[in-house]
Amino acid sequence: AAGTQPNTVLAREDGRIRLDGKYFEAIDETGAPVTVVRGLAKPEATHVLMHRAGDGRFISFFGDLHPSFFGNVVKAMGGAKRGYPVVSRILAAREPAPVSSADLIARCRRELLPTVHSVSRLTPTIVEVVVHAPAQARAFRPGQFYRLQNYEMLAPRIAEAGGPSTVLAMEGLAMTGAWTDPERGLVSVIVLEMGGSSDICALLKPGEPVVLMGPTGTPTEILAGKTVALVGGGLGNAVLFSIGAAMRAAGSRVIYFAGYKQMRDRYKVAEIERAADVIVWCCDEAPGFAPTRQQDRSFVGNIVQGMAAHGAEVGLGQADHLIVIGSDSMMQAVGVARRGVLAPLLKTGHTAIGSINSPMQCMMKEVCAQCLQTHIDPQTGARTVVFSCFNQDQALDRVDFSALHERLAQNGVHEKLTAQWIDRALRRLQARGVAA
């Protein structure tokens, strides 16, 4: 069951898979296109193949993705019953892969079963989790994200008097990749402890199996031979240093504005320095940061004030493109300032995007609709809706930040209650403060 409309994202991403209207194009067992009777759950001929690769392997489709078997679970099950002989014939026509089952199992465990490599505390509220996940590490592109989750059967349990135990199982957490090491098969994600599932990440142990779905989302566009300004707030800086490094490798000049509320919030300084030609370190807390490079600057105040104070001397006016990542209020403030206090410092015709941190659930692209984000056309006022988990990089001029703020707060009561309970649980585990 894929929703009220067939999800054809695969065709858009792959480029080789063809569509027939709003459905995938069906083909027969020779690879030739065929016409499928729509809405008829018991067609004379069952066509459940939609793409034939060059090596003779096929992709099949069923359920709500299929024009004959969409609509309800009974039709989907009937489609599977009628379609499995087709899949069986295709498999029988191919020679078995020249790999023993033991070798295949070992390869799957090595490539596809992520385990925790290390857990490090970077600040009092930020934890880095490095996962050994070779396939996910090789596929990553800067700007993409993952879905991290522990296994319920391995999660810590706390006995409760007179009732069931508390199981510290995480919900699926959207985590942007901070860095990857494809040769070692490592993926780094950085977690801001906000009270809830994010607090449980610090309990993960090296060697523990975890779920790491992804990478998903659209990679950030890496510009070559341009001047790019990166604007990061707090945890957003964990995302930007991989993007900045890729921009510099492509021959672009990178101007970096890094903002923090407190001095203790800064981390990965060396990585940020490698990702930028010049940095303006901004901190709300005095005395601010002391730059370690001659070209860098420091400012005490918020990031918009820092951009206004030092933008001219670091060359902000040369920036062709701005990438802004931080809280919704921070990104909105930068978006407004581009038309106000920062306007005299910015290049005419520059573009600006933000990485929109909408609520997310499935992270499977256009399925659950939890990540819907409203856009407003700045010229016409027309409103449209996009899926943020499909592409989190969105034009700052179009994002409806008031709607985003409301959606981020929609589960506020539940989140506060969960935070209180997890805090209690962590204290009882002596993982935080005094047991209560």
Side-chain angles (χ1 to χ4, degrees):
T4 57
Q5 297 292 328
N7 189 315
T8 56
V9 169
L10 181 61
R12 280 174 276 163
E13 289 190 333
D14 184 89
R16 299 169 299 171
I17 298 171
R18 300 173 63 87
L19 294 177
D20 179 9
K22 67 178 183 179
Y23 292 95
F24 293 114
E25 180 183 73
I27 59 176
D28 62 20
E29 294 176 38
T30 69
V34 293
T35 301
V36 176
V37 180
R38 302 194 176 192
L40 185 61
K42 296 182 179 180
E44 287 188 22
T46 302
H47 298 292
V48 294
L49 305 176
M50 68 181 211
H51 176 69
R52 185 176 189 272
D55 62 1
R57 292 185 296 175
F58 286 82
I59 298 175
S60 58
F61 65 132
F62 291 88
D64 283 341
L65 299 177
H66 198 285
S68 297
F69 307 123
F70 71 91
N72 57 57
V73 174
V74 174
K75 287 184 178 181
M77 293 173 67
K81 181 179 179 180
R82 296 174 65 89
Y84 90 85
V86 179
V87 176
S88 296
R89 285 196 300 271
I90 295 298
L91 292 174
R94 292 182 57 82
E95 290 293 325
V99 179
S100 70
S101 58
D103 289 341
L104 184 60
I105 291 172
R107 181 179 177 185
C108 287
R109 288 186 180 277
R110 184 173 62 252
E111 293 286 316
L112 302 176
L113 294 181
T115 57
V116 175
H117 175 75
S118 64
V119 179
S120 306
R121 182 162 294 281
L122 302 181
T123 78
T125 58
I126 294 177
V127 171
E128 179 181 32
V129 179
V130 179
V131 180
H132 181 258
Q136 290 91 326
R138 289 194 301 270
F140 175 75
R141 298 293 179 271
Q144 290 185 298
F145 60 97
Y146 298 88
R147 185 178 191 267
L148 176 68
Q149 196 168 14
N150 64 351
Y151 283 98
E152 181 181 346
M153 65 180 293
L154 301 176
R157 283 169 164 73
I158 302 171
E160 302 291 348
S165 61
T166 293
V167 182
L168 294 179
M170 304 175 192
E171 61 183 324
L173 298 173
M175 299 288 191
T176 305
W179 56 265
T180 60
D181 185 339
E183 291 186 2
R184 299 172 63 198
L186 300 180
V187 174
S188 165
V189 297
I190 294 180
V191 186
L192 174 63
E193 295 175 322
M194 300 180 65
S197 293
S198 56
D199 289 31
I200 301 174
C201 291
L203 301 181
L204 295 172
K205 305 297 183 184
E208 179 179 343
V210 291
V211 177
L212 190 72
M213 186 202 86
T216 187
T218 303
T220 297
E221 182 182 6
I222 303 302
L223 303 178
K226 301 288 186 179
T227 298
V228 180
L230 306 182
V231 185
L235 192 67
N237 291 297
V239 183
L240 284 172
F241 59 71
S242 64
I243 295 173
M247 293 281 189
R248 294 190 75 191
S252 287
R253 180 172 186 266
V254 175
I255 304 167
Y256 199 133
F257 295 88
Y260 306 86
K261 288 187 177 299
Q262 300 179 42
M263 293 184 64
R264 70 179 190 179
D265 294 337
R266 189 170 68 154
Y267 53 90
K268 300 285 184 181
V269 175
E271 286 83 348
I272 293 175
E273 289 179 340
R274 285 196 294 268
D277 293 276
V278 60
I279 305 169
V280 178
W281 298 103
C282 304
C283 186
D284 291 350
E285 182 181 52
F289 303 110
T292 57
R293 303 190 307 180
Q294 184 176 2
Q295 71 268 33
D296 295 343
R297 304 288 185 271
S298 180
F299 181 81
V300 177
N302 65 48
I303 200 161
V304 171
Q305 294 169 337
M307 295 173 73
H310 293 289
E313 57 189 290
V314 299
L316 181 58
Q318 301 168 15
D320 304 288
H321 186 58
L322 273 66
I323 301 177
V324 186
I325 304 181
S327 67
D328 58 302
S329 57
M330 174 268 198
M331 291 187 289
Q332 182 177 20
V334 174
V336 171
R338 289 173 52 240
R339 306 302 178 196
V341 65
L342 298 180
L345 300 174
L346 293 171
K347 185 176 184 178
T348 302
H350 77 279
T351 55
I353 62 170
S355 184
I356 303 305
N357 51 344
S358 295
M360 292 191 186
Q361 183 174 323
C362 75
M363 303 174 215
M364 293 173 66
K365 302 180 182 178
E366 303 187 10
V367 176
C368 78
Q370 184 72 9
C371 69
L372 290 181
Q373 172 60 44
T374 306
H375 282 190
I376 302 175
D377 188 299
Q379 275 74 46
T380 66
R383 300 175 71 87
T384 54
V385 176
V386 300
F387 288 85
S388 291
C389 78
F390 186 87
N391 187 356
Q392 66 282 4
D393 290 348
Q394 301 173 27
L396 280 184
D397 290 334
R398 291 180 170 269
V399 175
D400 184 347
F401 281 101
S402 61
L404 174 60
H405 182 75
E406 290 179 3
R407 286 183 62 78
L408 290 171
Q410 65 188 354
N411 295 321
V413 174
H414 290 162
E415 289 168 354
K416 289 180 175 64
L417 290 172
T418 300
Q420 292 292 321
W421 191 262
I422 289 181
D423 181 69
R424 170 185 177 274
L426 293 178
R427 290 177 185 277
R428 293 189 61 188
L429 285 174
Q430 298 184 339
R432 174 183 292 168
V434 180

